[in-house]
Amino acid sequence: MTKFTDYGLRVLMALAVTQERALGAGQIAAQYGISQHHVAKIATALVAGGFVVSERGRGGGLRLARGADQISLGAVVRHLSAGDVLVECLGVGSTCCIAPACGLRGPLQLAQEAFYATLDGYSVADTVGQRAALRGLLTN
């Protein structure tokens, strides 16, 4: 999984533990010690995927678009890592010279599908079960 996807999941977790108020990209970046620019790009992707809403103005910021229990981790990871593949031959336009005779593609494709299937069984709410502890760790 890329850092972009990892941080995207962390953004959703931060929003899930502070559902009573919106958080700005700068606040989230400070909580995790990562670039505000990077969080802004992640937020844009999460808004485009329908996982987060962005509110302007005083009191604005980012909020979950729906309940944390209704946001599938599998859907989020698929969206944020669209186009990323485990190995080149699983992607479009593979140039691997051994692809026609390679036996690695099948097992790796099954492993990738199992990864997503496992994540499909969990929601963002499942990641914030220790809400009070997480909130304490994310407070700056």
Side-chain angles (χ1 to χ4, degrees):
M1 188 167 22
T2 65
K3 280 187 179 182
F4 187 82
T5 301
D6 176 24
Y7 292 160
L9 292 170
R10 293 186 203 192
V11 167
L12 292 174
M13 290 174 69
L15 297 175
V17 299
T18 58
Q19 287 182 328
E20 66 281 352
R21 61 187 170 92
L23 292 177
Q27 289 174 285
I28 296 169
Q31 290 173 334
Y32 287 116
I34 57 179
S35 156
Q36 182 175 344
H37 178 71
H38 202 59
V39 171
K41 287 176 29 177
I42 292 164
T44 299
L46 290 170
V47 168
F51 305 109
V52 170
V53 292
S54 178
E55 302 169 343
R56 298 181 135 197
R58 187 172 176 90
L62 303 170
R63 292 183 188 272
L64 294 181
R66 53 190 179 276
D69 61 330
Q70 297 173 8
I71 301 174
S72 159
L73 294 182
V76 172
V77 172
R78 278 184 190 88
H79 176 73
L80 293 179
S81 56
D84 295 344
V85 290
L86 192 57
V87 290
E88 180 203 7
C89 64
L90 296 180
V92 178
S94 172
T95 59
C96 181
C97 65
I98 65 169
C102 180
L104 189 56
R105 180 185 173 126
L108 291 177
Q109 188 162 12
L110 288 174
Q112 182 172 297
E113 290 168 10
F115 172 74
Y116 286 120
T118 298
L119 291 176
D120 286 338
Y122 294 91
S123 70
V124 171
D126 295 319
T127 68
V128 295
Q130 297 182 20
R131 185 177 303 268
L134 281 170
R135 188 175 295 150
L137 292 167
L138 291 174
T139 301
N140 12 339

mmCIF file of all heavy atoms in Angstrom, residues 22-51:
data_model
loop_
_atom_site.group_PDB
_atom_site.id
_atom_site.type_symbol
_atom_site.label_atom_id
_atom_site.label_comp_id
_atom_site.label_asym_id
_atom_site.label_seq_id
_atom_site.Cartn_x
_atom_site.Cartn_y
_atom_site.Cartn_z
ATOM 1 N N ALA A 22 -15.775 19.730 12.145
ATOM 2 C CA ALA A 22 -14.962 19.564 10.942
ATOM 3 C C ALA A 22 -13.497 19.798 11.297
ATOM 4 O O ALA A 22 -13.181 20.524 12.235
ATOM 5 C CB ALA A 22 -15.413 20.551 9.872
ATOM 6 N N LEU A 23 -12.622 19.170 10.543
ATOM 7 C CA LEU A 23 -11.184 19.370 10.716
ATOM 8 C C LEU A 23 -10.597 19.913 9.421
ATOM 9 O O LEU A 23 -10.952 19.459 8.334
ATOM 10 C CB LEU A 23 -10.481 18.047 11.035
ATOM 11 C CG LEU A 23 -10.774 17.390 12.375
ATOM 12 C CD1 LEU A 23 -10.036 16.050 12.474
ATOM 13 C CD2 LEU A 23 -10.365 18.290 13.522
ATOM 14 N N GLY A 24 -9.681 20.860 9.556
ATOM 15 C CA GLY A 24 -8.986 21.390 8.392
ATOM 16 C C GLY A 24 -7.805 20.506 8.027
ATOM 17 O O GLY A 24 -7.293 19.750 8.858
ATOM 18 N N ALA A 25 -7.373 20.601 6.782
ATOM 19 C CA ALA A 25 -6.223 19.826 6.325
ATOM 20 C C ALA A 25 -4.987 20.138 7.166
ATOM 21 O O ALA A 25 -4.195 19.247 7.485
ATOM 22 C CB ALA A 25 -5.949 20.100 4.851
ATOM 23 N N GLY A 26 -4.839 21.400 7.562
ATOM 24 C CA GLY A 26 -3.705 21.792 8.392
ATOM 25 C C GLY A 26 -3.732 21.124 9.752
ATOM 26 O O GLY A 26 -2.693 20.706 10.271
ATOM 27 N N GLN A 27 -4.923 21.022 10.343
ATOM 28 C CA GLN A 27 -5.054 20.356 11.644
ATOM 29 C C GLN A 27 -4.668 18.880 11.531
ATOM 30 O O GLN A 27 -3.948 18.356 12.375
ATOM 31 C CB GLN A 27 -6.505 20.440 12.147
ATOM 32 C CG GLN A 27 -6.942 21.806 12.576
ATOM 33 C CD GLN A 27 -8.424 21.785 12.916
ATOM 34 O OE1 GLN A 27 -9.269 21.741 12.028
ATOM 35 N NE2 GLN A 27 -8.722 21.809 14.200
ATOM 36 N N ILE A 28 -5.186 18.230 10.497
ATOM 37 C CA ILE A 28 -4.899 16.802 10.319
ATOM 38 C C ILE A 28 -3.408 16.597 10.056
ATOM 39 O O ILE A 28 -2.786 15.687 10.614
ATOM 40 C CB ILE A 28 -5.756 16.213 9.181
ATOM 41 C CG1 ILE A 28 -7.239 16.286 9.559
ATOM 42 C CG2 ILE A 28 -5.340 14.777 8.881
ATOM 43 C CD1 ILE A 28 -8.194 15.984 8.421
ATOM 44 N N ALA A 29 -2.833 17.457 9.238
ATOM 45 C CA ALA A 29 -1.397 17.355 8.939
ATOM 46 C C ALA A 29 -0.581 17.497 10.219
ATOM 47 O O ALA A 29 0.378 16.734 10.442
ATOM 48 C CB ALA A 29 -0.996 18.423 7.925
ATOM 49 N N ALA A 30 -0.958 18.432 11.066
ATOM 50 C CA ALA A 30 -0.235 18.643 12.326
ATOM 51 C C ALA A 30 -0.389 17.439 13.247
ATOM 52 O O ALA A 30 0.572 17.032 13.918
ATOM 53 C CB ALA A 30 -0.729 19.910 13.014
ATOM 54 N N GLN A 31 -1.583 16.861 13.287
ATOM 55 C CA GLN A 31 -1.818 15.701 14.146
ATOM 56 C C GLN A 31 -0.894 14.539 13.789
ATOM 57 O O GLN A 31 -0.391 13.848 14.665
ATOM 58 C CB GLN A 31 -3.278 15.236 14.027
ATOM 59 C CG GLN A 31 -4.266 16.189 14.646
ATOM 60 C CD GLN A 31 -5.705 15.790 14.362
ATOM 61 O OE1 GLN A 31 -6.015 15.136 13.375
ATOM 62 N NE2 GLN A 31 -6.599 16.200 15.244
ATOM 63 N N TYR A 32 -0.699 14.328 12.504
ATOM 64 C CA TYR A 32 0.096 13.192 12.048
ATOM 65 C C TYR A 32 1.545 13.547 11.715
ATOM 66 O O TYR A 32 2.348 12.667 11.417
ATOM 67 C CB TYR A 32 -0.553 12.543 10.827
ATOM 68 C CG TYR A 32 -1.799 11.755 11.160
ATOM 69 C CD1 TYR A 32 -3.039 12.140 10.664
ATOM 70 C CD2 TYR A 32 -1.740 10.618 11.956
ATOM 71 C CE1 TYR A 32 -4.183 11.419 10.959
ATOM 72 C CE2 TYR A 32 -2.877 9.889 12.250
ATOM 73 C CZ TYR A 32 -4.089 10.294 11.751
ATOM 74 O OH TYR A 32 -5.219 9.574 12.037
ATOM 75 N N GLY A 33 1.854 14.825 11.730
ATOM 76 C CA GLY A 33 3.220 15.241 11.397
ATOM 77 C C GLY A 33 3.566 15.016 9.938
ATOM 78 O O GLY A 33 4.675 14.597 9.611
ATOM 79 N N ILE A 34 2.603 15.293 9.063
ATOM 80 C CA ILE A 34 2.843 15.140 7.627
ATOM 81 C C ILE A 34 2.529 16.457 6.927
ATOM 82 O O ILE A 34 1.955 17.374 7.513
ATOM 83 C CB ILE A 34 2.014 13.981 7.017
ATOM 84 C CG1 ILE A 34 0.511 14.162 7.260
ATOM 85 C CG2 ILE A 34 2.477 12.646 7.574
ATOM 86 C CD1 ILE A 34 -0.360 13.059 6.667
ATOM 87 N N SER A 35 2.889 16.549 5.678
ATOM 88 C CA SER A 35 2.724 17.771 4.900
ATOM 89 C C SER A 35 1.249 18.144 4.702
ATOM 90 O O SER A 35 0.434 17.295 4.340
ATOM 91 C CB SER A 35 3.397 17.558 3.535
ATOM 92 O OG SER A 35 2.867 18.404 2.559
ATOM 93 N N GLN A 36 0.938 19.421 4.923
ATOM 94 C CA GLN A 36 -0.420 19.899 4.697
ATOM 95 C C GLN A 36 -0.787 19.773 3.221
ATOM 96 O O GLN A 36 -1.928 19.458 2.884
ATOM 97 C CB GLN A 36 -0.560 21.349 5.150
ATOM 98 C CG GLN A 36 -1.970 21.879 4.975
ATOM 99 C CD GLN A 36 -2.157 23.285 5.521
ATOM 100 O OE1 GLN A 36 -1.341 23.776 6.282
ATOM 101 N NE2 GLN A 36 -3.236 23.930 5.120
ATOM 102 N N HIS A 37 0.168 20.006 2.351
ATOM 103 C CA HIS A 37 -0.063 19.876 0.908
ATOM 104 C C HIS A 37 -0.477 18.436 0.577
ATOM 105 O O HIS A 37 -1.397 18.212 -0.212
ATOM 106 C CB HIS A 37 1.193 20.286 0.137
ATOM 107 C CG HIS A 37 1.066 20.129 -1.341
ATOM 108 N ND1 HIS A 37 0.271 20.954 -2.111
ATOM 109 C CD2 HIS A 37 1.622 19.235 -2.187
ATOM 110 C CE1 HIS A 37 0.345 20.563 -3.381
ATOM 111 N NE2 HIS A 37 1.162 19.530 -3.446
ATOM 112 N N HIS A 38 0.200 17.482 1.188
ATOM 113 C CA HIS A 38 -0.112 16.073 0.951
ATOM 114 C C HIS A 38 -1.517 15.753 1.471
ATOM 115 O O HIS A 38 -2.297 15.078 0.788
ATOM 116 C CB HIS A 38 0.947 15.191 1.625
ATOM 117 C CG HIS A 38 1.059 13.816 1.065
ATOM 118 N ND1 HIS A 38 1.356 13.567 -0.249
ATOM 119 C CD2 HIS A 38 0.900 12.606 1.657
ATOM 120 C CE1 HIS A 38 1.384 12.265 -0.452
ATOM 121 N NE2 HIS A 38 1.097 11.655 0.683
ATOM 122 N N VAL A 39 -1.857 16.238 2.651
ATOM 123 C CA VAL A 39 -3.195 16.001 3.211
ATOM 124 C C VAL A 39 -4.256 16.645 2.321
ATOM 125 O O VAL A 39 -5.319 16.062 2.098
ATOM 126 C CB VAL A 39 -3.295 16.515 4.668
ATOM 127 C CG1 VAL A 39 -4.736 16.458 5.171
ATOM 128 C CG2 VAL A 39 -2.384 15.710 5.578
ATOM 129 N N ALA A 40 -3.981 17.824 1.775
ATOM 130 C CA ALA A 40 -4.937 18.484 0.887
ATOM 131 C C ALA A 40 -5.189 17.644 -0.365
ATOM 132 O O ALA A 40 -6.341 17.531 -0.822
ATOM 133 C CB ALA A 40 -4.435 19.880 0.517
ATOM 134 N N LYS A 41 -4.146 17.054 -0.927
ATOM 135 C CA LYS A 41 -4.304 16.191 -2.103
ATOM 136 C C LYS A 41 -5.119 14.944 -1.749
ATOM 137 O O LYS A 41 -5.986 14.514 -2.516
ATOM 138 C CB LYS A 41 -2.942 15.804 -2.676
ATOM 139 C CG LYS A 41 -2.270 16.948 -3.399
ATOM 140 C CD LYS A 41 -0.877 16.710 -3.927
ATOM 141 C CE LYS A 41 -0.474 15.361 -4.320
ATOM 142 N NZ LYS A 41 0.889 15.297 -4.893
ATOM 143 N N ILE A 42 -4.850 14.386 -0.585
ATOM 144 C CA ILE A 42 -5.601 13.215 -0.122
ATOM 145 C C ILE A 42 -7.066 13.591 0.081
ATOM 146 O O ILE A 42 -7.971 12.859 -0.325
ATOM 147 C CB ILE A 42 -4.982 12.653 1.172
ATOM 148 C CG1 ILE A 42 -3.606 12.051 0.883
ATOM 149 C CG2 ILE A 42 -5.900 11.634 1.826
ATOM 150 C CD1 ILE A 42 -2.750 11.810 2.107
ATOM 151 N N ALA A 43 -7.304 14.747 0.705
ATOM 152 C CA ALA A 43 -8.672 15.210 0.942
ATOM 153 C C ALA A 43 -9.425 15.358 -0.374
ATOM 154 O O ALA A 43 -10.593 14.972 -0.473
ATOM 155 C CB ALA A 43 -8.651 16.525 1.715
ATOM 156 N N THR A 44 -8.770 15.893 -1.377
ATOM 157 C CA THR A 44 -9.388 16.049 -2.692
ATOM 158 C C THR A 44 -9.815 14.691 -3.242
ATOM 159 O O THR A 44 -10.919 14.542 -3.771
ATOM 160 C CB THR A 44 -8.423 16.750 -3.668
ATOM 161 O OG1 THR A 44 -8.121 18.056 -3.157
ATOM 162 C CG2 THR A 44 -9.011 16.875 -5.060
ATOM 163 N N ALA A 45 -8.953 13.701 -3.102
ATOM 164 C CA ALA A 45 -9.278 12.352 -3.577
ATOM 165 C C ALA A 45 -10.417 11.735 -2.772
ATOM 166 O O ALA A 45 -11.302 11.072 -3.324
ATOM 167 C CB ALA A 45 -8.037 11.461 -3.513
ATOM 168 N N LEU A 46 -10.425 11.969 -1.457
ATOM 169 C CA LEU A 46 -11.493 11.420 -0.614
ATOM 170 C C LEU A 46 -12.834 12.091 -0.913
ATOM 171 O O LEU A 46 -13.877 11.431 -0.887
ATOM 172 C CB LEU A 46 -11.129 11.568 0.865
ATOM 173 C CG LEU A 46 -9.991 10.675 1.355
ATOM 174 C CD1 LEU A 46 -9.562 11.077 2.767
ATOM 175 C CD2 LEU A 46 -10.384 9.203 1.295
ATOM 176 N N VAL A 47 -12.809 13.381 -1.207
ATOM 177 C CA VAL A 47 -14.038 14.084 -1.600
ATOM 178 C C VAL A 47 -14.525 13.530 -2.935
ATOM 179 O O VAL A 47 -15.719 13.231 -3.098
ATOM 180 C CB VAL A 47 -13.811 15.613 -1.674
ATOM 181 C CG1 VAL A 47 -14.986 16.314 -2.350
ATOM 182 C CG2 VAL A 47 -13.575 16.187 -0.278
ATOM 183 N N ALA A 48 -13.618 13.364 -3.886
ATOM 184 C CA ALA A 48 -13.989 12.833 -5.205
ATOM 185 C C ALA A 48 -14.580 11.431 -5.095
ATOM 186 O O ALA A 48 -15.465 11.068 -5.877
ATOM 187 C CB ALA A 48 -12.770 12.817 -6.131
ATOM 188 N N GLY A 49 -14.127 10.662 -4.125
ATOM 189 C CA GLY A 49 -14.639 9.309 -3.932
ATOM 190 C C GLY A 49 -15.934 9.252 -3.143
ATOM 191 O O GLY A 49 -16.523 8.176 -2.969
ATOM 192 N N GLY A 50 -16.387 10.394 -2.636
ATOM 193 C CA GLY A 50 -17.633 10.438 -1.886
ATOM 194 C C GLY A 50 -17.509 9.995 -0.437
ATOM 195 O O GLY A 50 -18.514 9.759 0.227
ATOM 196 N N PHE A 51 -16.293 9.930 0.071
ATOM 197 C CA PHE A 51 -16.070 9.501 1.453
ATOM 198 C C PHE A 51 -16.069 10.675 2.432
ATOM 199 O O PHE A 51 -16.340 10.516 3.613
ATOM 200 C CB PHE A 51 -14.737 8.750 1.574
ATOM 201 C CG PHE A 51 -14.631 7.591 0.631
ATOM 202 C CD1 PHE A 51 -13.777 7.634 -0.456
ATOM 203 C CD2 PHE A 51 -15.395 6.451 0.814
ATOM 204 C CE1 PHE A 51 -13.680 6.571 -1.335
ATOM 205 C CE2 PHE A 51 -15.312 5.377 -0.057
ATOM 206 C CZ PHE A 51 -14.443 5.439 -1.136
#
